[in-house]
Amino acid sequence: MTISKALLDELLSGVENADDLLGDQGLMKELKVRLMERMLGAELTEHLGYEPDARPGTEQRNRRNGATRKTLKGHDGTVPIDVPRDRDGSFEPELIKKGQTRIDGMDDKIIGLYAAGLSTRDIRAHLEEVYGLKVSADLISRVTDAVLEEVSDWQNRALEPMYPIVFLDALRVKIRDAESRQVKNKAVYVALGVTPEGEREVLGLWIANNEGAKFWLSVMNNLRNRGVEDILIAVVDGLKGFPDAINAAFPETTVQTCIVHLVRHSLNFCGWKDRKAVAKDLRRIYQATDDGEAEKALADFEVEWGSKYPSIALSWRRAWQEVIPFFAFPPAVRKIIYTTNAIESLNRVIRKTTKTRGSFPTDDAATKLIYLAIRSFEKAGRCVREWVAARNQFAILYPERFNK
């Protein structure tokens, strides 16, 4: 649409400064109001079937019936709009729906601020300072609660039949317990899958009082109930009973301990002055060409460090059955499953979003914010690097399962 120069000159004829154009009583705000009222009038004309300056037929009982003043909140602050009415109340405008109190994507603005980790109080202060809007805490809660419906749909969506790799992890978030009313460190479980096309996909999030194999079994069953038939490799931390929980739901899945988790756990046992040397010797274990060479490297490590730090070699031997699958894979696959970097990058996004909150009042409040962090994470990029080489290896290693 092209606006003529003559019309622009006419509109700007009384504008002498920026406030006349953009101020609270300026031309732009008044023009927006008048255009919206004109559009509402056109909707009512379509609904009634006669023009405002025309006379309705004698047989038509429903007619125009004045207007109702409604105050809307938008980027321009509060905007008063006269919404036309009909006699029998059957008019349902599309531009400004019944019950609507906000325009200009204000709900999206509120959700965006909430997703950035701002508290309800911070959002209220921001909207008042930037837009001159005074909104209630209840309004902000209602807007953000709408996210829960989206979370429910997302959490119950159908999944791919097969995922070559699924990373499983949990992080801690402070949430007030509904029964005791005390703030507790609850576990937020996250499953991140890699599709056969190499795209990262967060499969779900779950909140429980503690991280445990029993709960992980319920997570595995949830994935199966949503359509997952097979997982080739599950990369996990060293939680006791975790492999059994995974294999109870997916018997053919290879469970691989996260090497970086194991290394970090090992370094917790040694002093700062020995950390570099210990890390260097541990690298010989997980960079071995096969499990035989890795076993020899672990034995050499015990000889070197066993007397000083006996707990390190013991922790590796306890997890050895979930470590050695790593050595059966070629470099292209090892590079991806070597660590849970993929899920740890997701956890960093979640922690960055949640760190501004001391605690959450409910599980739902935490779920809303974490889901929005996940949504932001997935928008940033979903493809796994150098996936083509890994995909070709999966096709060779698991010809029937990968290619079905």
Side-chain angles (χ1 to χ4, degrees):
M1 179 181 295
T2 302
I3 301 175
S4 69
K5 184 176 182 299
L7 178 57
L8 288 174
D9 290 341
E10 183 178 351
L11 288 171
L12 295 171
S13 61
V15 174
E16 297 180 356
N17 52 52
D19 195 56
D20 289 341
L21 180 64
L22 304 172
D24 192 51
Q25 304 296 324
L27 173 65
M28 294 298 291
K29 188 170 182 178
E30 183 179 357
L31 186 59
K32 177 184 288 188
V33 170
R34 297 294 170 258
L35 287 172
M36 285 193 291
E37 290 178 346
R38 184 67 179 267
M39 291 172 69
L40 289 168
E43 284 192 55
L44 183 58
T45 296
E46 179 70 21
H47 177 70
L48 296 176
Y50 72 93
E51 297 292 335
D53 54 354
R55 294 176 63 87
T58 55
E59 73 284 354
Q60 181 168 346
R61 301 184 62 182
N62 191 23
R63 306 186 180 196
R64 283 178 167 78
N65 188 31
T68 300
R69 174 60 62 93
K70 174 182 279 192
T71 300
L72 301 175
K73 295 181 175 70
H75 292 166
D76 299 325
T78 56
V79 180
I81 300 289
D82 288 331
V83 181
R85 301 178 305 188
D86 59 344
R87 286 185 180 179
D88 65 12
S90 60
F91 177 48
E92 296 275 355
E94 288 295 322
L95 180 65
I96 301 172
K97 298 182 183 296
K98 287 186 177 180
Q100 181 178 339
T101 59
R102 299 175 298 283
I103 56 174
D104 295 333
M106 189 52 61
D107 286 9
D108 291 338
K109 180 67 68 176
I110 291 173
I111 290 174
L113 293 170
Y114 188 83
L118 272 68
S119 66
T120 299
R121 180 181 299 175
D122 293 335
I123 293 173
R124 293 178 67 190
H126 178 85
L127 292 177
E128 184 170 1
E129 179 181 353
V130 176
Y131 303 111
L133 290 176
K134 293 185 178 181
V135 298
S136 65
D138 182 61
L139 169 64
I140 294 172
S141 295
R142 287 200 309 272
V143 171
T144 56
D145 280 346
V147 174
L148 290 174
E149 293 183 18
E150 187 178 337
V151 173
S152 179
D153 292 340
W154 173 79
Q155 189 76 347
N156 293 292
R157 76 196 188 280
L159 299 174
E160 295 280 344
M162 188 275 293
Y163 288 89
I165 306 174
V166 172
F167 300 92
L168 301 156
D169 202 3
L171 62 155
R172 296 285 174 172
V173 175
K174 294 183 182 297
I175 304 173
R176 188 174 298 279
D177 185 69
E179 295 181 3
S180 66
R181 306 305 301 163
Q182 295 181 337
V183 174
K184 295 183 177 180
N185 275 326
K186 291 193 175 184
V188 177
Y189 299 79
V190 182
L192 176 66
V194 178
T195 70
E197 292 73 35
E199 290 190 346
R200 298 180 301 176
E201 178 186 355
V202 182
L203 308 183
L205 72 95
W206 302 264
I207 296 177
N209 287 329
N210 293 292
E211 181 181 8
K214 184 177 179 181
F215 192 85
W216 272 120
L217 177 59
S218 71
V219 170
M220 293 296 102
N221 288 330
N222 176 275
L223 298 181
R224 180 168 281 284
N225 292 337
R226 290 162 58 199
V228 180
E229 299 173 3
D230 195 10
I231 296 171
L232 302 185
I233 304 170
V235 183
V236 303
D237 62 14
L239 179 67
K240 186 178 180 181
F242 207 160
D244 293 336
I246 294 171
N247 290 138
F250 300 97
E252 294 186 275
T253 298
T254 299
V255 180
Q256 171 66 52
T257 291
C258 170
I259 301 299
V260 169
H261 266 86
L262 199 52
V263 171
R264 287 176 183 168
H265 178 72
S266 301
L267 295 179
N268 287 335
F269 292 110
C270 68
W272 283 100
K273 66 177 183 178
D274 292 329
R275 281 199 164 201
K276 281 190 176 182
V278 169
K280 182 179 179 180
D281 288 345
L282 287 174
R283 194 177 300 120
R284 295 193 180 99
I285 301 173
Y286 60 81
Q287 288 186 346
T289 56
D290 54 40
D291 56 348
E293 184 180 324
E295 176 70 45
K296 182 180 182 304
L298 179 57
D300 292 342
F301 182 89
E302 283 184 292
V303 171
E304 179 70 22
W305 298 101
S307 59
K308 191 171 185 180
Y309 303 118
S311 297
I312 296 179
L314 285 174
S315 65
W316 279 75
R317 292 208 176 275
R318 282 195 298 267
W320 198 244
Q321 290 305 309
E322 284 73 51
V323 172
I324 55 177
F326 178 80
F327 301 108
F329 297 111
V333 177
R334 282 197 197 188
K335 191 171 184 179
I336 298 173
I337 66 172
Y338 159 73
T339 176
T340 53
N341 272 349
I343 203 166
E344 287 185 351
S345 63
L346 169 61
N347 288 345
R348 280 195 295 273
V349 172
I350 294 174
R351 289 191 181 98
K352 182 179 178 180
T353 304
T354 58
K355 71 178 181 179
T356 57
R357 308 291 184 90
S359 64
F360 292 91
T362 63
D363 286 3
D364 281 350
T367 298
K368 286 189 294 185
L369 188 58
I370 293 169
Y371 167 73
L372 291 170
I374 289 172
R375 196 170 68 175
S376 174
F377 166 81
E378 290 192 324
K379 286 180 180 178
R382 302 181 63 178
C383 291
V384 175
R385 291 181 179 178
E386 301 179 26
W387 177 251
V388 173
R391 182 184 62 195
N392 293 337
Q393 293 291 340
F394 277 118
I396 295 171
L397 292 168
Y398 306 96
E400 295 181 1
R401 294 165 66 189
F402 186 79
N403 297 317
K404 68 178 181 179

